[in-house]
Amino acid sequence: MSVPNYLLYTKDHEWIEFRDEYAIVGITDFAQSQLGDVIFVEFPEIGEDLHSGSSFGEVEAVKTVADLFAPISGKVLSVNEEIEDAPDLVNSDPYEKGWLIKISPSKHEEKDDLMNFEEYKSFISWMSVFQSLIDVYNNRGACYVILIDPDNKNDDSILSQVEMANRSEVDAIFVGGSLMM
C-alpha cells in the first residue's frame, strides 16, 4: 500500500499536497483499493467554497459509492477533467494522474488536524486489523476480543489475563493499544 511521505492525510482517506498558492486533493491508495474499480467521480463546481470535513462529491465504484470529504476549507480552483473520461486513473495512479481537485486554502490552521504519512500508515494498519475482526464476526457470528489497559490498577496481572485469554475462541488481544495475537 503506497503512502507517500510528502502528503498529509485524513481519516476519511483523502490526501492533500500543499503547494505555494493552492493544494491538490485526491483519495489514497488504501481508499481506492477498498472501493474497487472506480467508474465515475462527481466533482464540486469550480468556485465552490468547501468546509473542512464536508462532502464535496462522490466516487462511484463497481462495489459501492463513497462520499468525498474536504481535508481543509477553501475554494475549488479546478477539477481533474481527465478523470471524467478515464475514472480508472483514480485506481491506477491515485497520487499523480488520479488527483481530484485543486483548492485555494482559506484556513491554513486546519493543516494541523491532518495526519502525516507515519500516522496515516498506523491508522490504516489498525483499520486492517479491525476489518479482519469484522470478517471473523461476519463469518462466525461472533468475535472475541480482549482489551487490557496496562495502566488500570484494578486489572489483575496483565500476564494472567493474557494467559487466560490464550484460548482458541479468542480472536485478538490488545494490551495498551498493541495487538498481542
Side-chain angles (χ1 to χ4, degrees):
M1 198 71 47
S2 176
V3 181
N5 63 3
Y6 59 93
L7 302 174
L8 295 175
Y9 301 89
T10 71
K11 290 182 179 178
D12 296 309
H13 308 288
E14 283 83 21
W15 58 263
I16 186 166
E17 178 182 2
F18 288 89
R19 301 271 176 100
D20 291 334
E21 300 295 319
Y22 63 93
I24 304 170
V25 176
I27 67 168
T28 65
D29 191 24
F30 179 83
Q32 71 78 23
S33 72
Q34 296 297 301
L35 288 168
D37 295 335
V38 174
I39 57 174
F40 178 76
V41 176
E42 177 188 307
F43 290 109
E45 296 293 323
I46 294 174
E48 184 176 335
D49 286 318
L50 304 179
H51 302 283
S52 178
S54 66
S55 176
F56 69 83
E58 293 180 338
V59 175
E60 184 178 335
V62 173
K63 292 187 206 177
T64 189
V65 175
D67 284 326
L68 297 166
F69 296 98
I72 61 167
S73 301
K75 185 179 293 286
V76 177
L77 299 174
S78 64
V79 300
N80 187 348
E81 294 176 3
E82 286 184 50
I83 290 179
E84 291 176 355
D85 294 327
D88 60 307
L89 289 173
V90 174
N91 295 110
S92 64
D93 196 4
Y95 299 113
E96 296 294 329
K97 293 180 183 177
W99 64 272
L100 301 175
I101 62 172
K102 292 182 181 177
I103 62 174
S104 174
S106 60
K107 296 182 179 178
H108 291 277
E109 65 274 10
E110 292 172 344
K111 186 176 181 179
D112 296 337
D113 297 330
L114 302 170
M115 292 181 275
N116 65 34
F117 81 101
E118 289 172 337
E119 293 166 325
Y120 183 70
K121 282 173 42 175
S122 176
F123 177 71
I124 61 176
S125 173
W126 276 105
M127 287 195 64
S128 296
V129 168
F130 287 112
Q131 184 59 54
S132 296
L133 294 173
I134 289 168
D135 291 344
V136 167
Y137 177 81
N138 288 336
N139 289 332
R140 199 170 60 206
C143 182
Y144 303 101
V145 178
I146 295 178
L147 303 173
I148 300 171
D149 180 359
D151 297 326
N152 186 347
K153 304 302 180 213
N154 294 328
D155 281 346
D156 293 331
S157 152
I158 292 171
L159 182 58
S160 67
Q161 290 182 52
V162 171
E163 287 173 359
M164 182 180 76
N166 277 330
R167 300 180 186 162
S168 61
E169 69 270 8
V170 175
D171 298 300
I173 300 172
F174 294 92
V175 177
S178 297
L179 180 64
M180 300 299 290
M181 63 180 279

